[in-house]
């Protein structure tokens, strides 16, 4: 365990310190989340002019932004510290995973589980979430903590953590699956479920937190409805669960906890490990988001842990043979998803050449900072909603100028905004598939040309 901890820690910290803005490069999703956190830390509001000039953007629950805003309050703002937060949360996920392996397995099974864990956590598709200012690291940590609570027979605490996870991301809905199975099992077997005082308190806190979010939604109900329409339109633009192949995969992995319930005649650690694994896979299948690729790795790893636990308690030969066959199929899937399968992230993956280059030279960032310092209040500057905005939040706050996107908002392209300046920051590290979004007349070309400051008033006169 010490060796695994050292290896994962070394890799994750190497990426953060040596490829801090190269893997992955700055992303516009980060701009959306960090800007709301920055604004809340300074004004107590989630309203960000650059995201929507008319109202608060409501497309995501505020839990992650609240955490970041607290970090900014204590340590000050920087793009770097935003990514450090994700790095620490990812290491926290690994730590909780080690505890799960320790309490469920021993001997050769534990050592094998650690190898599988390395495969899941060191995959580039998983490492990507360790160095990006998105909420995957936070909600994964919460869901793994809820699994740990369940494995320690604290079912209500596990449910409370999942409910709290809903304040971070709507993906919490997939992790209600184990608790639905738990309730159904208790009803069918007429078993009681005891809840301790601490667990009851956790449930009350989770309920109050959800109620507070509900009030926040009611206050901004029109914006919430509009942004949810955008989200559902985006999700439904792809087949539910990835189409027939996704449904087939989901059905096959759901068979595993079902068979475990039959073989063990109990709802034990093996079934809960598998159910959480299914939840990660369902989240990824239906998420249609490049950053969710880690969910396959974590899902198949947890399913393999569940099968390993089964092999330790089942004595019949046919059961062990069945477990071995299932484990072989799961290992193939884990290896497949850990090593390949996402062309969007493949274009961003670490390469040796990255060690000798920067996404943007420091001199270019300093040049834009000096430019922002000269701007009068309320001057508007567009970066094309490219992710580069995050370098300059503090600078805009001090000058009183405003960064903005070119579109009307992050959920509505038109009517396009009129801006005073356009800053085009280009880099050879931008993947080509992003260029289709540069519709405002200033497309990136994928060249290391730095940042060009374009006065839009002169452009209009031309």
């Amino acid at each position: 365990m010490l060796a695994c901890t050292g290896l994962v820690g070394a890799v994750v910290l190497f990426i953060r310190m040596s490829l801090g803005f190269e893997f992955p490069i700055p992303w516009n999703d980060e701009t959306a989340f960090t800007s709301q956190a920055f604004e809340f830390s300074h004004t107590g509001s989630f309203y960000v002019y650059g995201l929507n000039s008319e109202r608060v953007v409501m497309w995501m629950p505020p839990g992650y932004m609240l955490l970041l805003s607290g970090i900014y309050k204590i340590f000050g703002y920087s793009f770097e510290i935003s990514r450090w937060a994700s790095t620490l949360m990812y290491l926290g996920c690994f730590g909780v995973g080690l505890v799960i392996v320790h309490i469920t397995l021993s001997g050769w099974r534990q050592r094998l589980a650690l190898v599988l864990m390395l495969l899941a956590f060191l995959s580039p598709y998983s490492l990507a979430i360790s160095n990006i200012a998105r909420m995957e690291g936070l909600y994964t940590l919460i869901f793994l903590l809820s699994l740990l609570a369940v494995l320690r027979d604290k079912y209500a605490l596990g449910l409370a953590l999942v409910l709290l996870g809903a304040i971070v991301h709507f993906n919490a809905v997939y992790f209600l699956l184990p608790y639905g199975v738990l309730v159904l099992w208790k009803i069918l077997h007429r078993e009681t479920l005891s809840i301790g005082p601490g667990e009851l308190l956790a449930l009350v806190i989770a309920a109050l937190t959800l109620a507070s979010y509900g009030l926040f939604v009611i206050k901004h109900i029109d914006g919430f409805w509009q942004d949810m329409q955008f989200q559902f339109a985006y999700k439904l633009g792809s087949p539910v669960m990835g189409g027939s192949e996704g449904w087939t995969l989901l059905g096959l992995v759901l068979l595993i906890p079902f068979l475990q319930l039959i073989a063990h005649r109990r709802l034990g650690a093996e079934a809960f490990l598998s159910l959480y694994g299914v939840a990660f896979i369902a989240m990824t299948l239906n998420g249609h988001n490049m950053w969710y690729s880690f969910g396959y790795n974590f899902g198949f790893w947890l399913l393999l842990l569940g099968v390993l636990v089964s092999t330790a308690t089942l004595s019949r030969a046919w059961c062990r043979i069945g477990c071995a066959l299932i484990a072989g199929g799961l290992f193939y899937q884990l290896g497949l998803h850990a090593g390949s399968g996402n062309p969007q992230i493949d274009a961003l993956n670490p390469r040796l050449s990255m060690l000798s280059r920067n996404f943007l030279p420091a001199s270019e960032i300093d040049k834009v900072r000096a430019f922002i310092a000269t701007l009068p209040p309320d001057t508007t500057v567009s970066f094309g909603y490219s992710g580069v905005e995050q370098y300059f939040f503090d600078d805009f706050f001090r000058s009183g100028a405003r960064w903005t996107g070119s579109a009307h908002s992050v959920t509505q392209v038109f009517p396009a905004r009129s801006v005073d300046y356009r800053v085009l920051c280009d880099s050879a590290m931008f993947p080509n598939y992003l260029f289709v979004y540069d519709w405002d007349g200033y497309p990136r070309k994928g060249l290391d040309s730095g940042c060009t400051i374009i006065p839009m008033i002169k452009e209009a006169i031309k």
Side-chain angles (χ1 to χ4, degrees):
M1 285 193 174
L2 286 174
C4 290
T5 302
L7 178 59
V8 171
V11 172
V12 171
L13 293 175
F14 175 80
I15 289 173
R16 171 82 284 276
M17 299 173 75
S18 299
L19 302 173
F21 300 111
E22 287 71 50
F23 174 66
I25 59 171
W27 214 256
N28 57 10
D29 290 348
E30 294 181 284
T31 292
F33 305 139
T34 58
S35 63
Q36 284 196 308
F38 178 88
E39 195 65 32
F40 192 85
S41 70
H42 285 79
T43 67
S45 170
F46 289 114
Y47 169 74
V48 177
Y49 174 85
L51 300 181
N52 189 321
S53 63
E54 300 169 348
R55 61 171 176 83
V56 174
V57 170
M58 295 290 293
W59 65 350
M60 201 63 64
Y64 174 66
M65 285 73 89
L66 285 171
L67 174 65
L68 278 187
S69 68
I71 293 172
Y72 299 159
K73 277 284 190 182
I74 297 171
F75 299 103
Y77 172 79
S78 72
F79 187 9
E80 190 168 6
I81 204 169
S82 303
R83 288 199 162 186
W84 264 113
S86 294
T87 298
L88 295 178
M89 286 184 279
Y90 190 78
L91 291 174
C93 292
F94 183 76
V96 176
L98 284 179
V99 176
I100 290 172
V101 170
H102 176 69
I103 67 174
T104 55
L105 295 164
S106 61
W108 67 267
R109 291 180 181 84
Q110 186 181 92
R111 292 190 289 275
L112 177 57
L114 291 174
V115 173
L116 297 171
M117 191 176 179
L118 289 178
L119 191 59
F121 274 82
L122 293 180
S123 163
Y125 308 105
S126 299
L127 288 169
I129 72 167
S130 75
N131 191 41
I132 189 168
R134 285 179 52 97
M135 58 280 295
E136 277 70 34
L138 177 57
Y139 69 66
T140 300
L141 177 59
I142 292 173
F143 297 148
L144 288 178
L145 283 170
S146 73
L147 171 58
L148 179 58
V150 168
L151 296 175
R152 294 189 179 278
D153 298 325
K154 302 292 185 181
Y155 304 114
L157 176 58
L159 175 60
L161 286 167
V162 170
L163 294 177
L164 284 172
I167 306 300
V168 177
H169 203 289
F170 301 120
N171 283 337
V173 67
Y174 300 103
F175 294 85
L176 294 175
L177 170 66
Y179 301 93
V181 173
L182 173 65
V183 171
L184 184 61
W185 180 270
K186 294 293 184 183
I187 291 173
L188 292 176
H189 290 80
R190 298 182 179 181
E191 297 176 358
T192 59
L193 180 63
S194 60
I195 300 176
E199 293 179 89
L200 181 59
L201 176 61
L203 282 173
V204 170
I205 292 172
L208 290 174
T209 304
L210 284 171
S212 300
Y213 177 54
L215 292 174
F216 179 64
V217 168
I218 291 172
K219 183 179 179 182
H220 303 279
I221 190 63
D222 290 338
F224 181 78
W225 176 246
Q226 291 174 27
D227 290 346
M228 288 305 102
Q229 287 180 310
F230 169 83
Q231 289 281 48
F232 277 100
Y234 170 75
K235 298 295 184 184
L236 294 176
S238 301
V240 177
M241 290 295 169
S244 58
E245 290 185 5
W247 281 111
T248 301
L249 174 61
L250 187 61
L252 289 173
V253 294
L254 272 171
L255 277 175
I256 296 173
F258 178 74
L259 292 172
Q260 288 170 323
L261 292 174
I262 294 174
H264 293 275
R265 298 180 182 179
R266 68 177 188 186
L267 182 56
E270 63 285 329
F272 276 113
L273 286 164
S274 297
L275 287 167
Y276 269 80
V278 172
F280 272 109
I281 291 169
M283 177 195 79
T284 308
L285 284 170
N286 207 37
H288 312 299
N289 185 300
M290 61 189 283
W291 306 115
Y292 292 1
S293 297
F294 80 96
Y296 286 129
N297 297 324
F298 284 24
F300 286 114
W301 164 62
L302 289 173
L303 282 162
L304 279 163
L305 289 190
V307 173
L308 283 173
V309 172
S310 289
T311 64
T313 53
L314 294 174
S315 57
R316 295 179 182 178
W318 66 271
C319 288
R320 295 197 170 206
I321 292 172
C323 286
L325 292 173
I326 292 171
L330 293 173
F331 179 75
Y332 170 77
Q333 288 291 325
L334 175 59
L336 180 68
H337 289 287
S340 63
N342 190 318
Q344 290 176 306
I345 293 183
D346 287 343
L348 307 173
N349 277 345
R351 298 176 295 277
L352 287 176
S353 60
M354 288 184 178
L355 295 174
S356 59
R357 61 189 306 178
N358 294 315
F359 167 72
L360 277 179
S363 58
E364 293 297 307
I365 296 173
D366 290 341
K367 178 179 75 175
V368 176
R369 283 182 172 148
F371 158 70
I372 294 171
T374 66
L375 296 175
D378 295 327
T379 304
T380 54
V381 182
S382 170
F383 292 83
Y385 192 47
S386 59
V388 176
E389 299 89 349
Q390 299 167 92
Y391 288 108
F392 310 112
F393 289 161
D394 258 339
D395 303 282
F396 279 105
F397 184 78
R398 284 192 293 269
S399 70
R402 293 175 165 181
W403 70 268
T404 179
S406 304
H408 180 70
S409 75
V410 290
T411 59
Q412 182 181 344
V413 175
F414 298 109
R417 300 196 197 193
S418 297
V419 299
D420 298 315
Y421 291 91
R422 174 68 163 90
V423 178
L424 175 61
C425 293
D426 203 357
S427 170
M429 303 188 80
F430 278 122
N432 292 338
Y433 59 74
L434 288 181
F435 299 163
V436 68
Y437 301 106
D438 296 342
W439 53 269
D440 68 349
Y442 300 93
R444 289 165 286 190
K445 301 184 184 301
L447 301 174
D448 288 324
S449 54
C451 296
T452 303
I453 299 169
I454 306 166
M456 298 303 291
I457 296 176
K458 293 181 181 179
E459 288 292 304
I461 292 174
K462 290 181 182 180

